[in-house]
PDB file of all heavy atoms in Angstrom:
ATOM      1  N   ARG A   7     215.837   3.445  54.208  1.00  0.00           N
ATOM      2  CA  ARG A   7     216.250   4.359  55.285  1.00  0.00           C
ATOM      3  C   ARG A   7     216.820   3.512  56.397  1.00  0.00           C
ATOM      4  O   ARG A   7     216.387   2.387  56.619  1.00  0.00           O
ATOM      5  CB  ARG A   7     215.042   5.164  55.734  1.00  0.00           C
ATOM      6  CG  ARG A   7     214.670   4.989  57.194  1.00  0.00           C
ATOM      7  CD  ARG A   7     213.377   5.638  57.563  1.00  0.00           C
ATOM      8  NE  ARG A   7     213.419   7.076  57.388  1.00  0.00           N
ATOM      9  CZ  ARG A   7     212.398   7.870  57.709  1.00  0.00           C
ATOM     10  NH1 ARG A   7     211.281   7.355  58.175  1.00  0.00           N
ATOM     11  NH2 ARG A   7     212.476   9.160  57.529  1.00  0.00           N
ATOM     12  N   LEU A   8     217.802   4.048  57.083  1.00  0.00           N
ATOM     13  CA  LEU A   8     218.455   3.245  58.095  1.00  0.00           C
ATOM     14  C   LEU A   8     217.742   3.360  59.436  1.00  0.00           C
ATOM     15  O   LEU A   8     217.311   2.366  60.006  1.00  0.00           O
ATOM     16  CB  LEU A   8     219.916   3.658  58.223  1.00  0.00           C
ATOM     17  CG  LEU A   8     220.855   2.536  58.611  1.00  0.00           C
ATOM     18  CD1 LEU A   8     220.818   1.421  57.607  1.00  0.00           C
ATOM     19  CD2 LEU A   8     222.243   3.056  58.812  1.00  0.00           C
ATOM     20  N   ILE A   9     217.603   4.572  59.946  1.00  0.00           N
ATOM     21  CA  ILE A   9     216.908   4.728  61.221  1.00  0.00           C
ATOM     22  C   ILE A   9     215.613   5.502  61.009  1.00  0.00           C
ATOM     23  O   ILE A   9     215.478   6.259  60.058  1.00  0.00           O
ATOM     24  CB  ILE A   9     217.789   5.417  62.294  1.00  0.00           C
ATOM     25  CG1 ILE A   9     218.133   6.847  61.906  1.00  0.00           C
ATOM     26  CG2 ILE A   9     219.052   4.613  62.546  1.00  0.00           C
ATOM     27  CD1 ILE A   9     218.855   7.618  63.009  1.00  0.00           C
ATOM     28  N   SER A  10     214.662   5.282  61.907  1.00  0.00           N
ATOM     29  CA  SER A  10     213.345   5.914  61.759  1.00  0.00           C
ATOM     30  C   SER A  10     213.402   7.398  62.090  1.00  0.00           C
ATOM     31  O   SER A  10     214.342   7.884  62.716  1.00  0.00           O
ATOM     32  CB  SER A  10     212.360   5.239  62.696  1.00  0.00           C
ATOM     33  OG  SER A  10     212.685   5.552  64.027  1.00  0.00           O
ATOM     34  N   GLN A  11     212.385   8.088  61.644  1.00  0.00           N
ATOM     35  CA  GLN A  11     212.201   9.496  61.976  1.00  0.00           C
ATOM     36  C   GLN A  11     212.262   9.688  63.496  1.00  0.00           C
ATOM     37  O   GLN A  11     212.911  10.613  63.998  1.00  0.00           O
ATOM     38  CB  GLN A  11     210.823   9.934  61.455  1.00  0.00           C
ATOM     39  CG  GLN A  11     210.442  11.357  61.730  1.00  0.00           C
ATOM     40  CD  GLN A  11     211.186  12.326  60.840  1.00  0.00           C
ATOM     41  OE1 GLN A  11     212.209  12.876  61.222  1.00  0.00           O
ATOM     42  NE2 GLN A  11     210.673  12.499  59.634  1.00  0.00           N
ATOM     43  N   GLY A  12     211.595   8.786  64.214  1.00  0.00           N
ATOM     44  CA  GLY A  12     211.565   8.864  65.669  1.00  0.00           C
ATOM     45  C   GLY A  12     212.961   8.788  66.279  1.00  0.00           C
ATOM     46  O   GLY A  12     213.286   9.538  67.204  1.00  0.00           O
ATOM     47  N   ALA A  13     213.794   7.893  65.767  1.00  0.00           N
ATOM     48  CA  ALA A  13     215.156   7.762  66.274  1.00  0.00           C
ATOM     49  C   ALA A  13     215.970   9.015  65.944  1.00  0.00           C
ATOM     50  O   ALA A  13     216.807   9.447  66.741  1.00  0.00           O
ATOM     51  CB  ALA A  13     215.818   6.523  65.679  1.00  0.00           C
ATOM     52  N   GLN A  14     215.687   9.604  64.787  1.00  0.00           N
ATOM     53  CA  GLN A  14     216.371  10.851  64.419  1.00  0.00           C
ATOM     54  C   GLN A  14     216.004  11.960  65.399  1.00  0.00           C
ATOM     55  O   GLN A  14     216.883  12.691  65.869  1.00  0.00           O
ATOM     56  CB  GLN A  14     216.009  11.240  62.983  1.00  0.00           C
ATOM     57  CG  GLN A  14     216.594  10.287  61.949  1.00  0.00           C
ATOM     58  CD  GLN A  14     216.083  10.549  60.534  1.00  0.00           C
ATOM     59  OE1 GLN A  14     215.166  11.339  60.318  1.00  0.00           O
ATOM     60  NE2 GLN A  14     216.671   9.867  59.566  1.00  0.00           N
ATOM     61  N   TYR A  15     214.719  12.066  65.710  1.00  0.00           N
ATOM     62  CA  TYR A  15     214.286  13.053  66.710  1.00  0.00           C
ATOM     63  C   TYR A  15     214.977  12.802  68.042  1.00  0.00           C
ATOM     64  O   TYR A  15     215.444  13.732  68.709  1.00  0.00           O
ATOM     65  CB  TYR A  15     212.768  12.972  66.926  1.00  0.00           C
ATOM     66  CG  TYR A  15     211.900  13.462  65.799  1.00  0.00           C
ATOM     67  CD1 TYR A  15     210.581  13.011  65.686  1.00  0.00           C
ATOM     68  CD2 TYR A  15     212.346  14.390  64.862  1.00  0.00           C
ATOM     69  CE1 TYR A  15     209.749  13.462  64.671  1.00  0.00           C
ATOM     70  CE2 TYR A  15     211.515  14.832  63.838  1.00  0.00           C
ATOM     71  CZ  TYR A  15     210.213  14.369  63.741  1.00  0.00           C
ATOM     72  OH  TYR A  15     209.387  14.810  62.740  1.00  0.00           O
ATOM     73  N   ALA A  16     215.017  11.535  68.447  1.00  0.00           N
ATOM     74  CA  ALA A  16     215.586  11.177  69.751  1.00  0.00           C
ATOM     75  C   ALA A  16     217.049  11.600  69.856  1.00  0.00           C
ATOM     76  O   ALA A  16     217.479  12.151  70.881  1.00  0.00           O
ATOM     77  CB  ALA A  16     215.446   9.680  69.984  1.00  0.00           C
ATOM     78  N   ILE A  17     217.805  11.355  68.806  1.00  0.00           N
ATOM     79  CA  ILE A  17     219.224  11.711  68.815  1.00  0.00           C
ATOM     80  C   ILE A  17     219.405  13.226  68.924  1.00  0.00           C
ATOM     81  O   ILE A  17     220.182  13.714  69.746  1.00  0.00           O
ATOM     82  CB  ILE A  17     219.924  11.148  67.550  1.00  0.00           C
ATOM     83  CG1 ILE A  17     220.004   9.621  67.641  1.00  0.00           C
ATOM     84  CG2 ILE A  17     221.320  11.754  67.398  1.00  0.00           C
ATOM     85  CD1 ILE A  17     220.351   8.935  66.332  1.00  0.00           C
ATOM     86  N   SER A  18     218.656  13.951  68.107  1.00  0.00           N
ATOM     87  CA  SER A  18     218.745  15.412  68.174  1.00  0.00           C
ATOM     88  C   SER A  18     218.300  15.926  69.540  1.00  0.00           C
ATOM     89  O   SER A  18     218.881  16.869  70.085  1.00  0.00           O
ATOM     90  CB  SER A  18     217.881  16.048  67.083  1.00  0.00           C
ATOM     91  OG  SER A  18     218.410  15.756  65.806  1.00  0.00           O
ATOM     92  N   ALA A  19     217.260  15.294  70.090  1.00  0.00           N
ATOM     93  CA  ALA A  19     216.742  15.725  71.390  1.00  0.00           C
ATOM     94  C   ALA A  19     217.800  15.553  72.469  1.00  0.00           C
ATOM     95  O   ALA A  19     217.994  16.446  73.307  1.00  0.00           O
ATOM     96  CB  ALA A  19     215.491  14.928  71.742  1.00  0.00           C
ATOM     97  N   LEU A  41     213.708  21.464  67.675  1.00  0.00           N
ATOM     98  CA  LEU A  41     213.934  20.423  66.671  1.00  0.00           C
ATOM     99  C   LEU A  41     212.978  20.523  65.496  1.00  0.00           C
ATOM    100  O   LEU A  41     213.089  19.772  64.535  1.00  0.00           O
ATOM    101  CB  LEU A  41     213.789  19.030  67.300  1.00  0.00           C
ATOM    102  CG  LEU A  41     214.598  18.715  68.556  1.00  0.00           C
ATOM    103  CD1 LEU A  41     214.387  17.278  68.966  1.00  0.00           C
ATOM    104  CD2 LEU A  41     216.071  18.981  68.343  1.00  0.00           C
ATOM    105  N   VAL A  85     220.310   4.749  72.023  1.00  0.00           N
ATOM    106  CA  VAL A  85     219.140   5.534  71.625  1.00  0.00           C
ATOM    107  C   VAL A  85     218.389   4.864  70.478  1.00  0.00           C
ATOM    108  O   VAL A  85     217.163   4.726  70.514  1.00  0.00           O
ATOM    109  CB  VAL A  85     219.563   6.964  71.233  1.00  0.00           C
ATOM    110  CG1 VAL A  85     218.365   7.766  70.771  1.00  0.00           C
ATOM    111  CG2 VAL A  85     220.246   7.639  72.416  1.00  0.00           C
ATOM    112  N   ILE A  86     219.133   4.425  69.478  1.00  0.00           N
ATOM    113  CA  ILE A  86     218.506   3.774  68.324  1.00  0.00           C
ATOM    114  C   ILE A  86     217.786   2.494  68.760  1.00  0.00           C
ATOM    115  O   ILE A  86     216.661   2.224  68.343  1.00  0.00           O
ATOM    116  CB  ILE A  86     219.559   3.480  67.231  1.00  0.00           C
ATOM    117  CG1 ILE A  86     220.039   4.806  66.624  1.00  0.00           C
ATOM    118  CG2 ILE A  86     218.986   2.576  66.145  1.00  0.00           C
ATOM    119  CD1 ILE A  86     221.254   4.672  65.715  1.00  0.00           C
ATOM    120  N   ILE A  89     214.419   3.165  70.418  1.00  0.00           N
ATOM    121  CA  ILE A  89     213.332   3.617  69.543  1.00  0.00           C
ATOM    122  C   ILE A  89     213.011   2.583  68.463  1.00  0.00           C
ATOM    123  O   ILE A  89     211.856   2.233  68.243  1.00  0.00           O
ATOM    124  CB  ILE A  89     213.683   4.967  68.868  1.00  0.00           C
ATOM    125  CG1 ILE A  89     214.093   6.015  69.913  1.00  0.00           C
ATOM    126  CG2 ILE A  89     212.506   5.457  68.022  1.00  0.00           C
ATOM    127  CD1 ILE A  89     213.042   6.365  70.924  1.00  0.00           C
ATOM    128  N   ASP A  90     214.036   2.100  67.787  1.00  0.00           N
ATOM    129  CA  ASP A  90     213.815   1.223  66.626  1.00  0.00           C
ATOM    130  C   ASP A  90     214.026  -0.251  66.936  1.00  0.00           C
ATOM    131  O   ASP A  90     213.709  -1.099  66.101  1.00  0.00           O
ATOM    132  CB  ASP A  90     214.788   1.597  65.492  1.00  0.00           C
ATOM    133  CG  ASP A  90     214.453   2.939  64.858  1.00  0.00           C
ATOM    134  OD1 ASP A  90     213.317   3.416  65.054  1.00  0.00           O
ATOM    135  OD2 ASP A  90     215.316   3.498  64.172  1.00  0.00           O
ATOM    136  N   ARG A 148     220.638  22.387  62.898  1.00  0.00           N
ATOM    137  CA  ARG A 148     219.692  21.356  63.267  1.00  0.00           C
ATOM    138  C   ARG A 148     218.740  21.812  64.348  1.00  0.00           C
ATOM    139  O   ARG A 148     217.581  21.447  64.376  1.00  0.00           O
ATOM    140  CB  ARG A 148     220.444  20.107  63.741  1.00  0.00           C
ATOM    141  CG  ARG A 148     219.549  18.977  64.195  1.00  0.00           C
ATOM    142  CD  ARG A 148     218.557  18.629  63.105  1.00  0.00           C
ATOM    143  NE  ARG A 148     217.681  17.518  63.480  1.00  0.00           N
ATOM    144  CZ  ARG A 148     216.419  17.456  63.146  1.00  0.00           C
ATOM    145  NH1 ARG A 148     215.859  18.447  62.462  1.00  0.00           N
ATOM    146  NH2 ARG A 148     215.687  16.409  63.471  1.00  0.00           N
TER     147      ARG A 148
ATOM    148  N   LYS B  95     221.251  11.017  50.905  1.00  0.00           N
ATOM    149  CA  LYS B  95     220.604  11.547  52.098  1.00  0.00           C
ATOM    150  C   LYS B  95     221.445  11.371  53.356  1.00  0.00           C
ATOM    151  O   LYS B  95     222.115  10.367  53.535  1.00  0.00           O
ATOM    152  CB  LYS B  95     219.268  10.820  52.283  1.00  0.00           C
ATOM    153  CG  LYS B  95     218.168  11.727  52.792  1.00  0.00           C
ATOM    154  CD  LYS B  95     216.841  10.996  52.793  1.00  0.00           C
ATOM    155  CE  LYS B  95     215.744  11.830  53.412  1.00  0.00           C
ATOM    156  NZ  LYS B  95     214.484  11.093  53.469  1.00  0.00           N
ATOM    157  N   CYS B  96     221.343  12.370  54.208  1.00  0.00           N
ATOM    158  CA  CYS B  96     222.005  12.371  55.508  1.00  0.00           C
ATOM    159  C   CYS B  96     221.418  11.266  56.388  1.00  0.00           C
ATOM    160  O   CYS B  96     220.228  10.965  56.313  1.00  0.00           O
ATOM    161  CB  CYS B  96     221.770  13.735  56.135  1.00  0.00           C
ATOM    162  SG  CYS B  96     222.166  13.849  57.878  1.00  0.00           S
ATOM    163  N   PHE B  97     222.255  10.673  57.211  1.00  0.00           N
ATOM    164  CA  PHE B  97     221.829   9.642  58.158  1.00  0.00           C
ATOM    165  C   PHE B  97     220.681  10.153  59.027  1.00  0.00           C
ATOM    166  O   PHE B  97     219.752   9.420  59.360  1.00  0.00           O
ATOM    167  CB  PHE B  97     223.016   9.275  59.055  1.00  0.00           C
ATOM    168  CG  PHE B  97     222.817   8.076  59.942  1.00  0.00           C
ATOM    169  CD1 PHE B  97     223.277   6.834  59.548  1.00  0.00           C
ATOM    170  CD2 PHE B  97     222.193   8.189  61.167  1.00  0.00           C
ATOM    171  CE1 PHE B  97     223.118   5.712  60.364  1.00  0.00           C
ATOM    172  CE2 PHE B  97     222.019   7.079  61.996  1.00  0.00           C
ATOM    173  CZ  PHE B  97     222.477   5.842  61.580  1.00  0.00           C
ATOM    174  N   MET B  98     220.754  11.425  59.376  1.00  0.00           N
ATOM    175  CA  MET B  98     219.764  12.027  60.254  1.00  0.00           C
ATOM    176  C   MET B  98     218.635  12.699  59.475  1.00  0.00           C
ATOM    177  O   MET B  98     217.738  13.296  60.074  1.00  0.00           O
ATOM    178  CB  MET B  98     220.432  13.072  61.149  1.00  0.00           C
ATOM    179  CG  MET B  98     221.342  12.473  62.201  1.00  0.00           C
ATOM    180  SD  MET B  98     220.389  11.780  63.565  1.00  0.00           S
ATOM    181  CE  MET B  98     219.871  13.297  64.375  1.00  0.00           C
ATOM    182  N   GLY B  99     218.700  12.632  58.159  1.00  0.00           N
ATOM    183  CA  GLY B  99     217.659  13.249  57.354  1.00  0.00           C
ATOM    184  C   GLY B  99     217.699  14.762  57.362  1.00  0.00           C
ATOM    185  O   GLY B  99     216.689  15.427  57.127  1.00  0.00           O
ATOM    186  N   ILE B 100     218.895  15.322  57.604  1.00  0.00           N
ATOM    187  CA  ILE B 100     219.027  16.779  57.706  1.00  0.00           C
ATOM    188  C   ILE B 100     219.420  17.365  56.356  1.00  0.00           C
ATOM    189  O   ILE B 100     220.387  16.919  55.729  1.00  0.00           O
ATOM    190  CB  ILE B 100     220.079  17.133  58.775  1.00  0.00           C
ATOM    191  CG1 ILE B 100     219.556  16.699  60.144  1.00  0.00           C
ATOM    192  CG2 ILE B 100     220.400  18.613  58.751  1.00  0.00           C
ATOM    193  CD1 ILE B 100     220.604  16.678  61.211  1.00  0.00           C
TER     194      ILE B 100
END
Side-chain angles (χ1 to χ4, degrees):
Chain A
R7 120 188 297 183
L8 212 59
I9 64 173
S10 69
Q11 179 74 264
Q14 291 172 351
Y15 289 157
I17 290 166
S18 293
L41 307 184
V85 178
I86 291 170
I89 307 299
D90 290 343
R148 178 54 179 143
Chain B
K95 217 173 175 183
C96 167
F97 189 96
M98 290 283 286
I100 294 166

